[in-house]
Every structure is written in structure tokens, then in C-alpha cells.
Amino acid sequence: MIFLFKRLMPKYSVIGYLADASQVLSISRETLQHVSRYRQFAPWASEAGGQLFGTINAAKVCVTEASGPYAGDERSRHQYRSSPTAAQRAIEDRHKRGLLYLGEWHTHAEDYPSASGFDDDAMRSLIANSQLNSNALLMMIVGRARSAEGLAVWSVSSESARQWILSAELAET
Ligand SMILES: [Zn+2]
């Protein structure tokens, strides 16, 4: 059983590009392993989610860590909302370690995830109601398919949602 569980964990990281920008997205293997634990394989499994952390500069967005889910989240088969207090605590904790809050992640009970209208609205209201340094946040949706096809990532701002083109990269170790 432990062997099987390990086998399902990604051994790769993910690199992303936008069609109209030179900035690169990198999602660490650790981040992928964290979110993969919550993929909705079981027919009764609820959505899970949390926050994404890392570093950002003009050339590269690096997602190095994911947090959540938390006790007190709102979770159902087709909806997820983080407990605001738990999310805030996670953000402050990572901030002390020099990691920036970069956005949100949650799972979908579908192989190849697409964003629901609810997801777009939730991201826009998050951006409108938060005091962020940046005006865009990442939204990552984790589907059931393995490899990069099971992931979808957008950069969401108040004006637009741009999807990253993802590919898997073998991790060094
Ligand atoms: Zn969703």
C-alpha cells in the first residue's frame, strides 16, 4: 500500500508559459506531491484546496509550496472554500520564512480540469477584497489525470484570466 501510494506521487516538476509574455512559471515537485494527495479519485471525495507560496520576479514565478486543506474549510463534491482564518495563518507563517502568497489551489472531480464560473468569481472577489502587492493571483485546479494534463493554472486579475501552457519536467532527484 505504501509502495502504491508513493508510485502515484509525481516525480516531476511543471513548467508553464503564457502565450503573450516571457515570464515562466515553475511548480516544484513538492508542491505537486502535496496537492496530489487530494486528487478526487473516490466517488465520494470532496474538493480540497489551499494556498500557493513561493517567489516571483520579472522573469519567473516559482511555486515552491502549497498549504491546506484546513479544518473549518467549506468542502463539497463540487465546491471548496478555505477557512479564512486558517488561510491567513498559513500566509503569515510562510511570510516569516520569506515566501510570498501567490494564489489558490483546489481539486476538481474531473480528469482534465476546467474553471467553473464559480471559480472565476471567487478569484475576482479575492483579488478585489485583498490588499496584495500584485494585481494578479495564480489559480491552480488539480484534476484526476496524472502528469501535467491533470493540472490547469491561470493568472487571474480583475481584468482577465490567462491560462498557462504546462509541461512536465523530470525532477533532478
Ligand atoms: Zn473549482
Side-chain angles (χ1 to χ4, degrees):
M1 196 58 205
I2 288 164
F3 172 72
L4 182 67
F5 184 67
K6 274 189 174 168
R7 222 163 53 85
L8 295 174
M9 292 288 113
K11 290 189 171 67
Y12 52 85
S13 56
V14 159
I15 296 291
Y17 300 92
L18 288 171
D20 58 348
S22 59
Q23 204 176 37
V24 175
L25 171 71
S26 118
I27 305 172
S28 73
R29 183 179 152 189
E30 289 73 22
T31 303
L32 298 171
Q33 289 180 337
H34 180 91
V35 302
S36 289
R37 292 192 186 102
Y38 302 99
R39 282 190 294 192
Q40 288 175 266
F41 290 123
W44 56 84
S46 294
E47 285 194 5
Q51 282 66 46
L52 300 170
F53 301 94
T55 59
I56 186 166
N57 62 36
K60 201 167 186 183
V61 185
C62 294
V63 179
T64 58
E65 234 178 82
S67 68
Y70 316 100
D73 293 343
E74 286 173 38
R75 297 175 64 174
S76 68
R77 182 72 178 159
H78 297 289
Q79 207 160 306
Y80 173 84
R81 197 187 291 269
S82 291
S83 150
T85 29
Q88 192 55 41
R89 208 176 302 130
I91 291 168
E92 283 161 16
D93 169 68
R94 301 313 187 282
H95 183 73
K96 284 180 199 145
R97 292 198 271 118
L99 295 178
L100 292 171
Y101 165 61
L102 297 176
E104 304 277 318
W105 70 275
H106 69 280
T107 61
H108 270 191
E110 55 186 350
D111 292 343
Y112 305 102
S114 57
S116 68
F118 172 79
D119 292 332
D120 288 340
D121 293 348
M123 287 305 293
R124 295 231 162 79
S125 71
L126 193 70
I127 290 161
N129 297 322
S130 65
Q131 291 139 359
L132 296 165
N133 301 325
S134 93
N135 57 357
L137 285 174
L138 294 176
M139 173 172 76
M140 177 163 87
I141 302 182
V142 182
R144 291 181 301 204
R146 297 202 172 85
S147 193
E149 287 80 55
L151 279 185
V153 184
W154 290 262
S155 274
V156 185
S157 70
S158 46
E159 295 91 42
S160 65
R162 294 189 298 164
Q163 188 166 8
W164 292 84
I165 301 149
L166 304 178
S167 57
E169 273 208 343
L170 269 183
E172 288 98 56
T173 47

